[in-house]
Each structure stands twice: as C-alpha cells, then as structure tokens.
Amino acid sequence: MATSQIKRCELAIEAYQKNLFDTLVISGGAVKNQYTESKEMAKFIQQKSSMPIICETQARNTYENFKNSSRITQDVPILILTGSLHAKRSCAIAKEFYSNYSAYTYPDHKLRHIIREIASRYIYIKIELLKKAGKY
C-alpha cells in the first residue's frame, strides 16, 4: 500500500476511536496494479480495529469515489478522511453528491503530493468550467 493509503487507514482508526463515524466506506478500485485499493485498505484496518467497513471497488479517481460511494450511503452526513492537501478538492467534489459533509485530515506536505494536487485541481477546474459551458 502507498504511504498515503496507510495514513488514511490510520486516520480512519483514530476517527473511529473518537466516535466520529459509525461505519467506514472505503472507495477505490484496482487503479495502478491488480490490487483493489479499498479491499487492501480494509484488510489493513481490520488487523487493528473491528469497525464496520463497506468497500466500494470500482472507483478510479476522487470523483468516482464520491459518485459510487453516494450510491451506497445516499445523502447521509459524511466525514471525508484524507490528507490536508487533498481535502479542499475532495470537499468541492463532495458537494455535488452530499448536502452535509466535512473533512478530517492528516498533515501532508510532501512535494510530490503538492505537485500532484496542483495538477489535479487544474484538471478539476477545467472540467467544472467545461460543465458550466455545456461542453462536458
């Protein structure tokens, strides 16, 4: 698992121990290799905690994470567990699928994550502009 996935798992365990949520929905398919991200993260968490977990296994990106997870959760309040760099874009996407959401984050200041998030935000903004212009 990637370091960011491990940090998200540890964050989920921390948040669950603080009673910030009842059931964890992990979203993510087999994007970069044959391993399904959500299932691998669930295995990691279940070695350390007995929290209820639902895995969404088809999503290939943040937008699909929310789109697919909202089919499972409907429009219930959600807590987004992610790195601090990713939280703003995650919340911007979440508002399309949820009326009540918040984020619980871990600090993330790695240069490669900063660069990846800048590129991802640029793509997100471009897609949103195309949607408003009716071209997406």
Side-chain angles (χ1 to χ4, degrees), residues 69-136:
S69 293
S70 68
R71 292 178 184 145
I72 296 167
T73 62
Q74 304 300 306
D75 188 25
V76 299
I78 65 162
L79 180 64
I80 301 163
L81 304 168
T82 192
S84 57
L85 292 171
H86 188 242
K88 286 184 182 180
R89 185 166 52 93
S90 291
C91 287
I93 294 169
K95 74 180 177 185
E96 187 172 331
F97 300 98
Y98 295 95
S99 58
N100 190 351
Y101 58 88
S102 59
Y104 189 70
T105 67
Y106 63 86
D108 186 8
H109 305 292
K110 286 188 175 180
L111 180 59
R112 67 185 169 103
H113 293 172
I114 293 169
I115 293 168
R116 181 181 66 210
E117 193 57 35
I118 290 169
S120 295
R121 285 185 192 182
Y122 172 77
I123 293 167
Y124 170 73
I125 291 168
K126 183 177 177 182
I127 289 169
E128 289 301 307
L129 291 172
L130 288 171
K131 282 181 185 176
K132 287 183 181 184
K135 297 179 182 179
Y136 189 82

Side-chain angles (χ1 to χ4, degrees), residues 6 9-10 13 17 42-51:
I6 292 170
C9 290
E10 291 170 344
I13 293 166
Q17 289 171 344
K43 284 181 201 173
F44 181 91
I45 291 169
Q46 288 172 337
Q47 290 174 355
K48 301 175 183 222
S49 174
S50 60
M51 74 178 76

